[in-house]
Each structure stands twice: as structure tokens, then as C-alpha cells.
Amino acid sequence: MQDGPWHEGELALQAKAGAVEKMAAIGDRYIRPHLTEQHRSFFPELPFLVIGTVDDDGYPWATIRDGSKGFLCSPDEWSLVANIGIDTSDPAEAGLHAEAAIGWLGIQLETRRRNRVNGVLRSRTDRDFELSVEHTFGNCPRYIQQREEVISDEHEEPGEPLAISIAEIRRIVEIADTFFVASYVDDDIKNRHVDVSHRGGQSGFVRFGVEGELTIPDYNGNHYFNTLGNILTNPSAGLVFPDFSSGALLQMTGRAAVLLDSEEMTQFPGAERLWRFSPAKTIYRRAALRTRFRNRTER
């Protein structure tokens, strides 16, 4: 890493946006090597956790794990613990082992609060894992679709990963208003830095191409460029599209590219740049989550 918390990919995009001086001034103030008290109290309130990992073949995966309230905790300002068992049906599980770098996103859909953390796993057992915090920072609530949890005693048992048609993948992608994306870079001394972040918009904001590639708009934001900076440096990504009403997860991993001056920009009103994702592996997991949500407008 150089110039505070920013690496080359992030700096290149900040320069393109004319934000280098601004971000140099605020980087070390907002990206901390420890959790604030506010963030330590935030995670135990959450019913689910978004995680980014990297498998043994170098593929990034994004996933979501949930549990009873309090399944997440922070023993101290440098640590986070998730009481999450091993799930071999989840392709992200391969990257959840001791000394692995992972990204962690806490997001509260009711209030649209979110906090991002990345670090290294100190330990992994069949009951939990503990993260040693390297960087943590809050994000604004923009583009998060507000939802409320649905409490029910009836839960469908999760199944094994299913084969899914291109037509069904297209349907899931084109109705989505939310997904999460994992990305990573390896620095000059071979330390790995994994990030997982939120992407949202109106239903249909992701474009599904004729060959199965996804085109995603990038709107005005905080100029951190963590995700796109990673992709610019290491052109790969892992995506997870959750169905919050059924608990299903569509997970993909593959190649990604940042499109800075594409003619397609006119097809995405308000976008400042685009990025494209071409899946190499796709997995669909029915009822992977026990937690259920509905949009605030649904009654």
C-alpha cells in the first residue's frame, strides 16, 4: 500500500475523478486499523454478514451467512468473531481458513447503515472464526434498498447447489436491486487485501448481455474506489445476488474490467463509469439463508 490506505488502482481512479488531493487528506482519518466503539456495538445487532474470500485457485467469492442475533461480536477493538459453522455447499468456504485474508461487510437493511472491514483470520473452527482487523470504515447509505426483517418459525431446509439455466440466471439478475461484490489485490510484499461491498439501484440496474456478461453502472460515491480499484489492478470479482424473500443465493466468480470511457454510458443514466463482469463459475443455492426480508413498500 502507498499514500496512506490507497493502492495504485484506487489512486488511478481517484486521479481520473480529480479527487486525489481530497482523498489523500481524508484517507487516514476515515480508514482505521481498529474498530470504533460505535462499530463494535453495531455488529452484534445484525442478522447476517456479507463475506468476501478467495479460493485456492485465486477466484474471489462473495457470500452471505446469517445467525441468531448476537452471532457476531467484537471482543476488542482489533477483533471480530462470527459464530458461523462450516458450510461445504458455499464456494466461499474454501477461503475461510486460518491466516486467510477476507473482507467483511456489516449492513443493516432497516436503517441502511453499513460498515466495512478487511483483515486476516486468526482462527477457524467448525463453530466460529475470528478476524484480526486491518482496515475498517463506514459507508454512506446511498443506493441501499431499505428492507425489514420478516420473522417466521417456518424455514425451508437448505439444499445442495443446483444447476440453473442461463434464462433463470438472467431473470434473477435483471430483477435484482441489490448484490454484493468481492475483489482483492496482492501488494508488493505479497500481502493480500480482500474487500466486499454493496451495489444497489433500481430493479434492472444490472444489464445482462447476450453472452452472459453483466454490465454494471458505477454512480457518484465517496471516491474510495475500493472495488473498482481492486478490479483495475486485479481483473477478477465474485458476485452474490440474494433473494431476500426466499433465502436463495446466486453466486458467481469470474473476470471483471473497468470501462472508463465506454459508449454504453448513455444507456445508464447517471452513471459516471461502467464495469463488466464475465462469469467463469456460477452456483445457485436454494434457501441458503434463514433470514428473510421484504421491501418497506411490501405489506
Side-chain angles (χ1 to χ4, degrees):
M1 298 292 151
Q2 56 188 9
D3 292 319
W6 315 119
H7 63 67
E8 287 183 3
E10 294 161 335
L11 288 167
L13 291 173
Q14 289 169 7
K16 181 75 173 177
V20 170
E21 289 188 18
K22 171 188 171 184
M23 301 314 295
I26 71 172
D28 287 329
R29 282 192 290 150
Y30 289 97
I31 299 181
R32 305 177 180 90
H34 61 87
L35 293 161
T36 65
E37 285 300 318
Q38 183 183 51
H39 291 153
R40 290 184 64 199
S41 63
F42 172 63
F43 282 101
E45 299 175 3
L46 302 178
F48 71 88
L49 173 67
V50 186
I51 307 170
T53 72
V54 182
D55 69 17
D56 294 339
D57 295 321
Y59 282 108
W61 290 95
T63 191
I64 305 175
R65 299 287 186 90
D66 58 359
S68 302
K69 187 173 181 178
F71 83 105
L72 304 173
C73 67
S74 174
D76 56 58
E77 61 184 317
W78 300 280
S79 307
L80 284 164
V81 174
N83 290 293
I84 296 172
I86 293 172
D87 184 350
T88 56
S89 71
D90 186 350
E93 184 66 51
L96 285 173
H97 57 79
E99 300 185 4
I102 70 168
W104 176 315
L105 172 67
I107 185 167
Q108 193 171 53
L109 298 178
E110 295 90 340
T111 64
R112 304 194 300 151
R113 290 178 63 193
R114 56 178 159 166
N115 177 244
R116 279 156 75 173
V117 182
N118 62 47
V120 175
L121 289 188
R122 288 198 187 111
S123 64
R124 175 61 161 147
T125 73
D126 59 2
R127 298 183 305 276
D128 59 28
F129 62 78
E130 182 175 1
L131 178 70
S132 177
V133 173
E134 291 185 345
H135 297 105
T136 179
F137 55 97
N139 276 154
C140 74
R142 296 174 71 183
Y143 315 117
I144 298 175
Q145 304 299 325
Q146 196 168 30
R147 289 177 161 88
E148 59 187 15
E149 188 174 355
V150 177
I151 306 299
S152 174
D153 294 329
E154 298 181 4
H155 295 287
E156 183 182 3
E157 288 301 315
E160 290 299 311
L162 301 174
I164 185 172
S165 68
I166 293 293
E168 182 62 11
I169 293 172
R170 180 174 194 142
R171 185 194 68 81
I172 293 170
V173 168
E174 290 187 337
I175 66 172
D177 62 15
T178 297
F179 74 91
F180 301 95
V181 51
S183 60
Y184 74 99
V185 293
D186 294 330
D187 65 24
D188 292 339
I189 55 174
K190 300 189 183 303
N191 288 324
R192 178 160 289 173
H193 305 272
V194 184
D195 178 75
V196 66
S197 66
H198 164 273
R199 288 293 185 272
Q202 296 301 311
S203 180
F205 79 106
V206 179
R207 184 77 52 83
F208 193 94
V210 294
E211 297 184 3
E213 76 279 8
L214 310 185
T215 303
I216 302 111
D218 189 65
Y219 301 111
N220 178 268
N222 56 20
H223 291 140
Y224 285 19
F225 294 119
N226 304 113
T227 298
L228 295 193
N230 284 356
I231 291 172
L232 197 65
T233 305
N234 174 24
S236 62
L239 279 55
V240 58
F241 289 83
D243 182 338
F244 287 115
S245 63
S246 73
L249 297 180
L250 175 65
Q251 293 168 269
M252 304 175 171
T253 188
R255 304 292 288 175
V258 180
L259 310 178
L260 294 176
D261 300 301
S262 171
E263 294 179 358
E264 297 176 58
M265 288 275 291
T266 57
Q267 301 172 31
F268 297 86
E272 296 191 341
R273 61 201 61 83
L274 305 175
W275 57 286
R276 184 160 290 146
F277 173 79
S278 299
K281 301 179 184 180
T282 299
I283 290 178
Y284 180 75
R285 298 163 59 218
R286 176 180 56 80
L289 302 177
R290 294 176 63 85
T291 311
R292 302 287 190 271
F293 290 88
R294 65 185 173 199
N295 288 347
R296 277 282 170 89
T297 56
E298 298 174 4
R299 295 290 179 181

